Amino acid sequence: MQKIVTQTEMYALEHAAVAHGATWEGLMEQAGWGVAQVALARLGDPKGRRVVVLVGPGNNGGDGLVVARHVHDAGAQVALYFWRRQFAPSDANWQRCRTRGLAETMAADDPTQTSLRKLVAEADLVVDALLGMGTSRPVEGPLAAIIATLQPPRRPLVLAIDLPSGVDAGTGAAPGGAVCADLTVATGLPKRGLLLYPGRRLAGTLELAILELPHDYLETTMSDLLRAAEVQPLLPARPPDAHKGSFGKVLVLAGSLHFPGAAYLACAGAARVGAGLVTLAGGRAVLGSAMRLPEATLLPLAEGDWGAVGPGALAELNKALPNYQALVLGPGMGQGEATGEFLQRLLGLETPKSRVRVGFLIDSNSDEATENAAPDLPPTVLDADGLNLLAKIEEWHERLPRERFVFTPHPGEMRRLLGVEQLPADLVATACEAAKRWGQVVVLKGATTIIASPDGRNRIHDGANPALATAGTGDVLAGVIGGLLAQGLAPYDAASLGVFLHGAAAARVRATLGDAGALASDLLPELPRAMLELR
């Protein structure tokens, strides 16, 4: 797995490397050399090309001085622009640049950035080595003015070392503005803020400069980047002598009079990733819809409000559930009172009512009570209206069976589940803490999606795609994860592979149709193609 680190984890890795025999100067040389190779590859023939290196006061500035030296030695004309860095004889990298006669400008001597604007206007490449991981507060004053000279569209290629200056290494936030880079070369390991917005947008293309680090150190606490190589082994096998029962059965409880399409999309998502049988459970309004998947079997249930399921549906559901290996619950169900009561009973969250006794005899309603008892659920994807209804139940997370569910909230649903007005800036930590507290796998959907396990593992999917910004794509994802659960994948692996395949299918749609006008149903035929490509 490609590890993703926070600022604290990266510092710990660097200290561990030094404890194992590396030197700080050696690590800086490795970082600067790696970044310089990327810069030279982008420049092409460096002879006669102009490069400006913006040098800050910390280690990021030191990396920039190493880059400047190597790019100069390759034949480029390099100018240094210093912000808050004071020369000292111990600054060996600056001394090496002076020995080579590199031009220097001090920001303190250029209060209106006149000299900087001239340098930038004549440059082929600007290297941002101002802050890196050192962003601790919103940029302001002279630094903000320096960064403003690099705003697109009229500017040279901008390369940021480690992170664009102004981007928080942990959260991707840039409250005071930040450098908008064309590419960012992370040193050692990518920082989490490079994958979270707006940092991901500001970073441009991502590349990596390798450092010799003890990668086994702190690995259990780091995030993993979700990539093809890591999820390919999770694909369910398809033996030639298989039959539909080999690949599991999914029960989809979704849709209502107002949202019949959600049921179709969830069912089709499960079927398109290889589930052997998909059954749609619902009331007449859903089962009779023209949008129903023709390959799905049907389970009629008692209706509540507006065609959604009601409390009376539990008896039929109890009989059917033992035959299924996965349940998808919530897309388009609606949030009516009757549906909410049904969900409470299904999840075993209803306040129990004492049964009437006459002497030693229980009343005749005991059989009905047994029929309407909460069933033992198979691995379950809880999505959309299912999550919104759950959020209305007090202390729900203390009463749900642990490690039974995959929650798939978007940020609004996540806020409701957490009972907060605004999500914390650190979305990875938020998802991980929620997964641990609730005892469930959490898929926090967004331009960057986070998959978190109760045991602390987490994966980040760098799959931003404006073609996904349309109704119904989340219903497809819920069905995809349900289809993988039915084929025997553990919840965390089913969620991870499901997110990857969903993103890969969306990338194929975008390549064909562009950023706008795609429909959620366009994802469906691309899912098996994405699986074929991954295999």
Side-chain angles (χ1 to χ4, degrees):
M1 281 282 185
Q2 172 64 67
K3 295 294 180 180
I4 310 297
V5 293
T6 63
Q7 182 180 26
T8 300
E9 289 166 349
M10 191 65 215
Y11 286 153
L13 278 168
E14 290 172 341
H15 280 86
V18 172
H20 282 75
T23 66
W24 292 108
E25 184 176 0
L27 290 174
M28 189 171 292
E29 182 66 25
Q30 288 179 48
W33 167 259
V35 175
Q37 302 317 299
V38 176
L40 291 169
R42 286 300 186 103
L43 281 173
D45 183 358
K47 292 181 174 58
R49 308 300 294 273
R50 295 176 181 267
V51 178
V52 177
V53 182
L54 308 180
V55 183
N59 288 340
N60 194 249
D63 294 342
L65 290 168
V66 176
V67 172
R69 168 163 49 90
H70 287 301
V71 171
H72 168 272
D73 291 350
Q77 183 177 332
V78 180
L80 304 174
Y81 191 91
F82 292 94
W83 173 73
R84 286 192 178 178
R85 193 178 187 97
Q86 301 297 321
F87 179 76
S90 60
D91 195 336
N93 287 312
W94 194 346
Q95 184 64 59
R96 292 180 184 119
C97 288
R98 283 194 163 179
T99 300
R100 287 163 170 77
L102 271 60
E104 297 180 2
T105 303
M106 300 294 173
D109 299 329
D110 186 33
T112 61
Q113 292 77 50
T114 302
S115 297
L116 177 59
R117 281 194 293 272
K118 185 175 186 299
L119 287 170
V120 170
E122 297 173 348
D124 298 294
L125 172 69
V126 174
V127 177
D128 167 24
L130 292 167
L131 292 176
M133 290 196 301
T135 299
S136 58
R137 61 179 65 89
V139 297
E140 57 186 7
L143 179 57
I146 291 170
I147 289 175
T149 65
L150 302 181
Q151 296 306 309
R154 294 184 179 180
R155 62 167 197 184
L157 184 75
V158 176
L159 181 156
I161 300 178
D162 225 15
L163 288 118
S165 292
V167 171
D168 185 279
T171 68
V179 169
C180 183
D182 296 291
L183 72 156
T184 297
V185 184
T187 58
L189 291 170
K191 314 312 176 285
R192 187 186 287 174
L194 290 174
L195 298 175
L196 301 174
Y197 282 77
R200 181 66 187 89
R201 173 178 55 81
L202 295 166
T205 303
L206 300 181
E207 299 205 32
L208 185 65
I210 303 297
L211 299 185
E212 295 179 8
L213 297 170
H215 284 191
D216 56 338
Y217 186 72
L218 285 182
E219 277 204 351
T220 56
T221 65
M222 295 177 186
S223 301
D224 293 317
L225 182 63
L226 195 61
R227 301 188 302 181
E230 284 75 33
V231 297
Q232 192 274 338
L234 301 178
L235 283 168
R238 307 291 290 189
D241 59 344
H243 53 83
K244 65 183 179 183
S246 305
F247 304 120
K249 299 177 181 179
V250 184
L251 183 63
V252 177
L253 211 169
S256 59
L257 181 63
H258 292 123
F259 307 107
Y264 165 77
L265 294 168
C267 287
R272 285 294 192 174
V273 293
L277 177 73
V278 180
T279 298
L280 173 61
R284 292 186 303 274
V286 175
L287 301 190
S289 170
M291 298 181 70
R292 175 169 50 82
L293 182 71
E295 293 84 356
T297 60
L298 305 178
L299 176 62
L301 297 176
E303 290 187 342
D305 301 327
W306 296 102
V309 293
L314 199 55
E316 288 301 319
L317 206 58
N318 265 335
K319 297 174 185 176
L321 271 174
N323 299 315
Y324 292 88
Q325 287 71 54
L327 172 65
V328 178
L329 178 62
M333 278 178 56
Q335 299 182 49
E337 183 178 347
T339 304
E341 185 179 346
F342 161 78
L343 186 76
Q344 281 188 296
R345 291 186 182 182
L346 177 64
L347 301 182
L349 301 177
E350 184 184 36
T351 303
K353 298 177 181 178
S354 60
R355 289 178 287 170
V356 178
R357 292 176 178 266
V358 180
F360 293 101
L361 300 178
I362 300 175
D363 73 354
S364 60
N365 291 326
S366 60
D367 290 341
E368 180 182 349
T370 300
E371 283 187 349
N372 289 304
D376 289 329
L377 298 179
T380 298
V381 181
L382 195 60
D383 184 51
D385 287 331
L387 295 171
N388 290 323
L389 289 169
L390 182 67
K392 298 176 183 179
I393 303 172
E394 292 186 5
E395 300 178 348
W396 59 265
H397 59 277
E398 297 179 4
R399 299 156 61 192
L400 276 182
R402 297 178 72 83
E403 300 187 12
R404 186 72 56 85
F405 296 88
V406 176
F407 291 175
T408 55
H410 59 55
E413 291 158 350
M414 191 68 171
R415 288 196 304 270
R416 288 187 278 277
L417 288 169
L418 293 171
V420 297
E421 293 293 326
Q422 185 173 353
L423 291 180
D426 192 338
L427 295 179
V428 177
T430 298
C432 290
E433 289 166 8
K436 182 178 181 180
R437 181 186 178 201
W438 299 339
Q440 316 296 345
V441 171
V442 173
V443 178
L444 181 52
K445 298 181 292 193
T448 297
T449 294
I450 301 152
I451 306 105
S453 170
D455 62 12
R457 291 177 295 162
N458 65 95
R459 291 166 174 159
I460 298 176
H461 183 238
D462 179 24
N465 185 342
L468 283 174
T470 187
T473 56
D475 303 325
V476 174
L477 176 61
V480 165
I481 297 173
L484 296 171
L485 286 172
Q487 294 174 74
L489 270 68
Y492 182 59
D493 288 339
S496 300
L497 179 58
V499 168
F500 182 88
L501 291 174
H502 187 260
R508 297 176 67 91
V509 170
R510 187 184 188 190
T512 303
L513 301 179
D515 292 342
L519 302 177
S521 55
D522 293 326
L523 294 171
L524 299 171
E526 297 299 340
L527 284 166
R529 296 185 181 110
M531 295 181 76
L532 180 63
E533 183 177 16
L534 183 60
R535 242 178 246 283

